[in-house]
Amino acid sequence: MNQCTAVALLQPPDHMIALSDPGHRPEAGHVLCELGEDHEHDHAAMLWDEGGRPGGAVWARWNAERTRLIPLPWCPALDARGEACGLFTGHPSAHGWEVTDPTDEAITHHLAKRHPHLFPEHTEEG
């Protein structure tokens, strides 16, 4: 399943602007939805792992009307190799290992052709 292509522009929070040096104001940044295409409900992008706090990350969730930053626990699902999903509990699309970023795949394919020794798992036979 391909990754959703929704993008949101996040403005820096007011408290970050107030604390910043006037000559070095934080800028708005874009986030790309990490869920599978055609998902239900809000879009989602992980902003940062909560590090010392067990089992969660801060996610941007958005739709046409609003954007929210909310802490969400990690999805507990593991694939057959024991790799974690990488999305949040209760996410509305396929698990992270089932979602493919087509741009990342195209770049990886291109780099693997030019530098096969760096990408042995992507080397084409014949």
Side-chain angles (χ1 to χ4, degrees), residues 46-125:
M46 199 250 324
L47 300 178
W48 65 84
D49 187 332
E50 290 191 302
R53 297 183 60 191
V58 174
W59 292 78
R61 300 293 315 268
W62 74 93
N63 58 37
E65 288 84 39
R66 66 182 179 150
T67 300
R68 300 172 293 143
L69 304 185
I70 53 175
L72 295 169
W74 291 111
C75 175
L78 302 174
D79 70 6
R81 297 180 318 241
E83 297 290 324
C85 169
L87 298 172
F88 53 90
T89 296
H91 56 84
S93 70
H95 290 294
W97 60 80
E98 299 169 309
V99 177
T100 302
D101 177 346
T103 303
D104 183 61
E105 288 294 313
I107 291 168
T108 300
H109 181 72
H110 176 75
L111 290 173
K113 286 174 102 174
R114 293 186 67 144
H115 308 284
H117 63 287
L118 298 175
F119 299 88
E121 68 278 6
H122 289 87
T123 304
E124 295 179 25
E125 295 182 20

